[in-house]
Amino acid sequence: MSQNVIFENVSKTFPGRRGAAANTVIAGFSGEVAVNEFLCLLGPSGCGKSTVLNMVAGFAKPTSGRISVGGRLVRGPGPDRGIVFQQYALFPWYSVARNVELGLEAKAVPRAERRETVERMLRAVGLWAHRDKYPKELSGGMKQRAAIARTLAADPEVILMDEPFAALDAQTREHLQQELLSIWEGSRKTVIFVTHSVQEAALLADRVTILGRNQGQVIASLPSPLSRPRNRMDDDVIAFEREIYAWLKQAEATGVDAEAA
């Protein structure tokens, strides 16, 4: 079951080191990610995208404000939220199948159901034939598919993805983007996806939220005008990319806090 995510006046300040001033990364961040929505967070390095994601995951606590998932206040990590990192985070001493099974075992899912779920998830990401391999035997793209399968197998209500394809070559990245969309369309989970890529945001998102450098202010929140499926070479996709670029350029040039209608 998918759930919404609500931010209520969220701020995050990190203490300064060795007498340096404290650093406020996010200030007064508010908004909602709707049930089943695929939201992309976009913005320059250091704007607070990953900090927002980490607070939703429960790895970091807001300095002030509230974050709730399905009406429940986020107080720490939980099984209702699954996260996929850029660097895979697979256990190297376990096989692909075992990596995917671990979260189910932690939830005390019966063995027969675990095996059925592992097979279904690995078939969904094209890794069933590689189930007995270890991470060191996999390509970067295969490792990321395994990480996605592991997250989906645990059946979280919200999926958090922190630039999961950034380290991959262009061909593998495009392939996994399409696989991710196919899986998402089948599961209809709520997704918050952090990216630096305008093209990736235009291709994947239901809505693109652009954060500025100044304490994570929302520069624009752009509902996608595109139907699905999408082709990255279509004129309407390219037009949406140009719209996103224009907002990014305005943010860099002016720093003005403005929200798109």
Side-chain angles (χ1 to χ4, degrees):
M1 183 178 180
S2 182
Q3 297 288 356
N4 67 342
V5 181
I6 296 178
F7 302 87
E8 300 177 72
N9 199 31
V10 172
S11 297
K12 180 62 178 177
T13 299
F14 293 96
R17 295 182 178 180
R18 298 180 180 179
N23 179 28
T24 298
V25 179
I26 299 291
F29 186 85
S30 295
E32 179 179 2
V33 186
V35 173
N36 303 338
E37 183 175 21
F38 197 123
L39 175 75
C40 280
L41 284 180
L42 190 66
S45 297
C47 71
K49 302 185 299 297
S50 292
T51 298
V52 170
L53 207 70
N54 284 329
M55 288 191 291
V56 178
F59 299 147
K61 294 183 178 180
T63 305
S64 61
R66 294 162 46 97
I67 301 173
S68 59
V69 173
R72 302 181 301 273
L73 187 65
V74 172
R75 299 185 183 277
D80 56 338
R81 286 148 288 142
I83 188 161
V84 180
F85 297 100
Q86 181 177 336
Q87 294 300 329
Y88 325 126
L90 299 173
F91 292 106
W93 52 86
Y94 288 137
S95 69
V96 168
R98 183 65 179 144
N99 265 283
V100 175
E101 186 183 16
L102 285 173
L104 298 169
E105 189 175 80
K107 295 171 69 175
V109 175
R111 178 177 294 182
E113 185 178 342
R114 293 202 309 263
R115 290 178 175 176
E116 179 183 338
T117 300
V118 168
E119 179 175 353
R120 177 164 45 87
M121 288 296 101
L122 288 179
R123 288 191 184 280
V125 299
L127 286 179
W128 180 242
H130 305 279
R131 61 191 178 276
D132 294 324
K133 291 183 178 179
Y134 289 82
K136 67 181 181 180
E137 301 176 86
L138 305 179
S139 68
M142 293 167 75
K143 290 177 185 177
Q144 196 57 288
R145 279 187 277 165
I148 292 170
R150 182 181 60 184
T151 298
L152 292 173
D155 196 29
E157 296 165 2
V158 176
I159 298 173
L160 309 169
M161 309 189 83
D162 194 359
E163 299 193 71
F165 307 141
L168 304 177
D169 63 86
Q171 185 175 359
T172 302
R173 183 167 63 246
E174 291 175 10
H175 176 68
L176 287 185
Q177 287 168 351
Q178 293 304 319
E179 283 198 355
L180 174 62
L181 285 176
S182 296
I183 294 168
W184 171 75
E185 287 167 357
S187 64
R188 300 302 292 181
K189 299 294 185 181
T190 303
V191 176
I192 304 178
F193 188 106
V194 168
T195 181
H196 274 101
S197 169
V198 169
Q199 185 184 71
E200 187 166 65
L203 191 69
L204 298 179
D206 290 323
R207 181 161 54 96
V208 178
T209 293
I210 300 170
L211 302 183
R213 292 188 183 278
N214 183 20
Q215 298 181 344
Q217 81 274 27
V218 176
I219 299 299
S221 190
L222 308 171
S224 175
L226 308 174
S227 60
R228 299 185 188 273
R230 300 170 187 172
N231 185 319
R232 67 187 69 247
M233 301 305 295
D234 285 350
D235 290 343
D236 55 353
V237 174
I238 294 171
F240 189 39
E241 289 179 28
R242 288 173 177 164
E243 181 182 4
I244 297 169
Y245 270 121
W247 280 102
L248 284 173
K249 186 175 180 180
Q250 177 177 322
E252 291 287 349
T254 67
V256 173
D257 184 358
E259 185 168 344

